[in-house]
Amino acid sequence: DLARITEGQRINVRVEDAVAAVRLAGDGAATERADVQLARGRIERLGGSPEAALGAFRRYAALGGVPGLAWLEEARTLFVLDSLTGVEPYFAGAASEDTAAVRMYGDDLRPIASDSELTALAASRGRGQVSVLRQFWFTRDRADLRSDGERLREHYRRLHVARQRFRLAEIKRRYDTDERYRSGSHEFDDRGIIYIRHGPPDETVTYPAVGLCQNESWRYRMPDGDVVLHFVARDDVQDFRLVESVLDIMDAGGITRLRQETCQGGNVFELVLSRVGMSPLYDRLLVANRNNYLQLANEDRVRGQQAIRTGTTTDTYLLRFKEPLYAVAEGLVGGRDEERPLLHGAFAVEGETAWSRSTAVGEAYPVRLRLVATGAGGELLASVDTARIFFAERKLHANEFLMGRIAVPVPPGAVRYRVALSQGDERGVLLPTDSVVAPPVAGPLALSDLVLGAPGVGARWTPPAGEPVRMNPLALYRVGGTLELYAEVYGAGAGAPLGVTLEVTRRGGGGLFGLFGGKRSLTIRGEESSQGPASPIRRSVSLAGLPGGEYRLTLRVQDATGTVVERRSSFRLVQRPGLGSP
């Protein structure tokens, strides 16, 4: 009873007294009681002694405790200890059909699971529940480019922290008109919800002032764009709520509230000044005049609304690296693997930011490569996690790159993908999410992505039938050099006539008059016959006479019926020497 009361208490929790009591009971005559060992394990863990808790849970199992509970509590504790060895007991316990254990598995998932995922879990039992949970966690591992079990371990570590730092003191919560997000949680405030979904923020800022409600702003640095979230505790100092704008922290955001509690201490200038490092928007808001102040304030609210949607409807465990690795990647769809389109992740790593070791055959650069592809609805389509060693005759310098590619088959349709490259756990980069469209082989006339390369430069790919193709993810070419183009035409029968037009135009200028310093745009036209369902198109384009700058390449194909399809790609001409060294 003492253990249950201590676990459920929200205010003035004296865990140390409960720990002393269960230790006394667990070491005395009650040592042989399973329920006492279970209680001791839970209180030891809550009190910050997971090693002692682990021993108690194992003793509970040895004394004939409920197997499902014993396995789950052991797994929870191992995860708090940051050990992946908790994965095995976690799934072993999931096979149990004990009512209490089944309920606990569902409760632990509730902070991040969707309604459909919870429904699927509730409808399963035994090995079926294990299958549902494996799919739930391992799909998240793949989406975050993690190894199996990492997301599961991190979830329980976050739950442990949230129960210590973000528990609600009062479960009855009232909401005002500007509090649009309503979690429905009776255990965690809104900071706890965000923490469980996304982990610790990269930056936390508060503005203390007399009369001003407690407040915090959290910033998450993400490859797809930073997420900034604002919290304020109005009704209860332990109940932080999400608000849309930093100005809502002191009721200066222009939103009418029903209740009269005030958070108007301090001043708006100092509040915004405290958040300047979180977004360039706050620098502009500080110096705004009357004409654009309201516009900037509204922009902050719109961004806040999007941040709340992202923060409360997604969950992430993004890769983090202490040392940066400069790299770029490009996703291209072309070729086939058992009748499915191939998504190529072509990448380039700048040698100066990578480390190497000297060998008898030159400098060896080990690189771990990870790619994940998802569908429009977020479903996992494909993933790959591999490692390669690149060799160079000497250490590479600035503007010298290691280039390569990884490829996965994907179904036709819209595909989102993400790439990570790393050297060990400390050095690496997680690149932003991007998207491509994979066309079907059978169907109307269609084109693959345009693969651009240069002789001897770029990642090498050899289609099933044909000469090797170079992929240059840097999209940089030397002035006066040569560009090689590869693409595939789908939906044209063997022998069907095709009209092929290639155009190169400089961005931001020209037209027919003075595009390249008075030169007309570069256009190449030709006729050829389709070679079958996936007919290759190859062109070698001389860039001689074109000055440095940004260019757009357009490939246009027309069949005998007059149907026209086209694809575009961009590249840049530069003068720098050493560019694209393999």
Side-chain angles (χ1 to χ4, degrees):
D1 288 342
L2 175 62
R4 282 194 293 269
I5 291 171
T6 303
E7 281 192 289
Q9 198 165 359
R10 307 294 181 93
I11 303 175
N12 297 325
V13 183
R14 299 180 63 179
V15 178
E16 65 278 4
D17 292 342
V19 169
V22 296
R23 285 178 179 174
L24 182 62
D27 292 335
T31 304
E32 301 306 311
R33 287 188 53 168
D35 57 346
V36 172
Q37 294 298 333
L38 179 63
R40 177 177 182 174
R42 288 172 173 171
I43 295 303
E44 291 277 16
R45 188 174 60 209
L46 184 64
S49 300
E51 295 88 352
L54 191 60
F57 290 133
R58 289 172 175 170
R59 183 63 181 156
Y60 166 73
L63 291 171
V66 177
L69 285 179
W71 286 121
L72 177 57
E73 293 293 9
E74 179 176 339
R76 285 170 158 179
T77 309
L78 287 168
F79 292 142
V80 170
L81 287 167
D82 202 25
S83 173
L84 279 176
T85 57
V87 172
E88 184 176 346
Y90 177 85
F91 288 115
S96 169
E97 297 192 22
D98 175 74
T99 303
V102 169
R103 184 182 67 251
M104 290 169 63
Y105 274 93
D107 290 344
D108 288 349
L109 257 65
R110 200 170 305 279
I112 65 171
S114 65
D115 290 342
S116 61
E117 289 169 328
L118 290 173
T119 299
L121 182 66
S124 62
R125 285 293 183 273
R127 302 312 303 175
Q129 182 168 245
V130 174
S131 178
V132 170
L133 288 171
R134 284 188 180 277
Q135 181 178 8
F136 181 90
W137 290 116
F138 293 165
T139 296
R140 281 167 166 76
D141 283 325
R142 299 293 184 275
D144 287 330
L145 298 169
R146 295 279 182 176
S147 300
D148 287 350
E150 287 191 63
R151 184 66 179 87
L152 171 58
R153 177 190 60 185
E154 175 66 7
H155 177 68
Y156 277 93
R157 190 199 66 79
R158 293 177 185 179
L159 277 176
H160 182 68
V161 173
R163 284 171 177 149
Q164 292 180 320
R165 295 174 52 190
F166 305 122
R167 293 192 79 189
L168 291 168
E170 174 60 57
I171 64 174
K172 295 181 179 179
R173 309 173 77 189
R174 297 179 300 166
Y175 291 92
D176 213 320
T177 53
D178 67 329
E179 295 167 338
R180 309 295 174 84
Y181 171 67
R182 305 182 181 192
S183 71
S185 175
H186 297 301
E187 185 173 9
F188 304 109
D189 70 4
D190 291 358
R191 295 173 306 167
I193 298 296
I194 297 298
Y195 188 95
I196 294 169
R197 285 183 171 274
H198 301 284
D202 296 296
E203 183 180 357
T204 302
V205 175
T206 186
Y207 169 49
V210 176
L212 183 63
C213 295
Q214 291 193 56
N215 61 88
E216 292 182 13
S217 293
W218 290 7
R219 177 187 181 188
Y220 289 91
R221 296 187 181 94
M222 298 186 176
D224 299 328
D226 289 357
V227 173
V228 178
L229 298 152
H230 307 290
F231 307 88
V232 61
R234 293 191 181 112
D235 300 333
D236 187 320
V237 294
Q238 292 181 288
D239 186 2
F240 281 76
R241 311 281 184 85
L242 278 163
V243 290
E244 296 175 341
S245 168
V246 68
L247 302 176
D248 293 339
I249 289 174
M250 57 186 304
D251 297 341
I255 300 294
T256 302
R257 302 180 62 234
L258 297 178
R259 300 198 302 279
Q260 297 303 310
E261 294 94 342
T262 180
C263 289
Q264 296 178 352
N267 65 71
V268 174
F269 180 86
E270 291 180 354
L271 171 66
V272 176
L273 181 63
S274 69
R275 268 62 174 181
V276 160
M278 288 194 151
S279 170
L281 175 64
Y282 301 132
D283 293 89
R284 294 155 53 201
L285 197 59
L286 277 180
V287 297
N289 55 37
R290 287 185 179 182
N291 294 329
N292 62 4
Y293 179 86
L294 291 178
Q295 177 184 350
L296 292 173
N298 184 63
E299 182 180 345
D300 182 48
R301 183 169 303 282
V302 171
R303 291 187 185 185
Q305 292 168 348
Q306 179 58 49
I308 291 174
R309 282 193 295 272
T310 299
T312 60
T313 63
T314 65
D315 58 279
T316 58
Y317 185 26
L318 298 179
L319 293 169
R320 305 282 184 181
F321 301 101
K322 292 183 180 179
E323 299 181 38
L325 186 67
Y326 176 74
V328 296
E330 180 183 25
L332 300 164
V333 177
R336 287 295 182 271
D337 179 13
E338 298 180 354
E339 298 308 312
R340 289 191 298 171
L342 267 181
L343 169 63
H344 305 268
F347 60 87
V349 180
E350 187 173 38
E352 191 176 49
T353 66
W355 63 266
S356 64
R357 61 175 181 268
S358 298
T359 71
V361 295
E363 293 296 313
Y365 290 85
V367 180
R368 182 178 179 182
L369 314 168
R370 284 172 273 192
L371 180 148
V372 62
T374 57
E379 67 277 13
L380 180 67
L381 300 178
S383 66
V384 62
D385 184 347
T386 187
R388 293 181 188 169
I389 299 179
F390 296 84
F391 287 94
E393 294 181 354
R394 55 171 175 78
K395 283 187 176 293
L396 302 182
H397 305 296
N399 296 326
E400 294 182 324
F401 296 83
L402 305 167
M403 292 190 186
R405 72 173 187 95
I406 46 180
V408 292
V410 295
V415 177
R416 292 173 60 82
Y417 69 91
R418 167 166 276 173
V419 175
L421 302 102
S422 58
Q423 294 184 299
D425 295 330
E426 302 294 319
R427 184 190 300 265
V429 60
L430 175 64
L431 296 170
T433 302
D434 209 337
S435 60
V436 293
V437 176
V441 174
L445 193 68
L447 268 174
S448 71
D449 285 321
L450 306 186
V451 180
L452 306 185
V457 176
R460 181 184 173 115
W461 168 56
T462 303
E467 297 296 320
V469 174
R470 292 284 185 175
M471 299 178 176
N472 179 7
L474 292 169
L476 299 176
Y477 297 86
R478 289 191 181 93
V479 171
T482 299
L483 179 148
E484 294 181 343
L485 164 72
Y486 177 85
E488 292 176 344
V489 181
Y490 310 121
L498 299 173
V500 180
T501 302
L502 187 149
E503 295 179 350
V504 175
T505 56
R506 189 178 186 184
R507 304 183 98 177
L512 298 179
F513 303 100
L515 177 61
F516 303 122
K519 190 176 180 180
R520 295 175 64 90
S521 58
L522 177 62
T523 301
I524 301 174
R525 293 186 176 89
E527 300 284 339
E528 57 185 79
S529 298
S530 171
Q531 299 180 26
S535 183
I537 293 178
R538 293 175 179 268
R539 294 290 186 273
S540 183
V541 182
S542 172
L543 303 174
L546 303 184
E550 301 283 343
Y551 290 84
R552 174 179 291 145
L553 186 149
T554 303
L555 177 65
R556 190 174 297 111
V557 176
Q558 181 175 341
D559 66 10
T561 68
T563 302
V564 177
V565 292
E566 70 176 34
R567 288 272 190 158
R568 294 181 177 181
S569 187
S570 298
F571 66 92
R572 186 154 55 102
L573 289 182
V574 296
Q575 297 281 359
R576 288 203 305 263
L579 177 67
S581 299

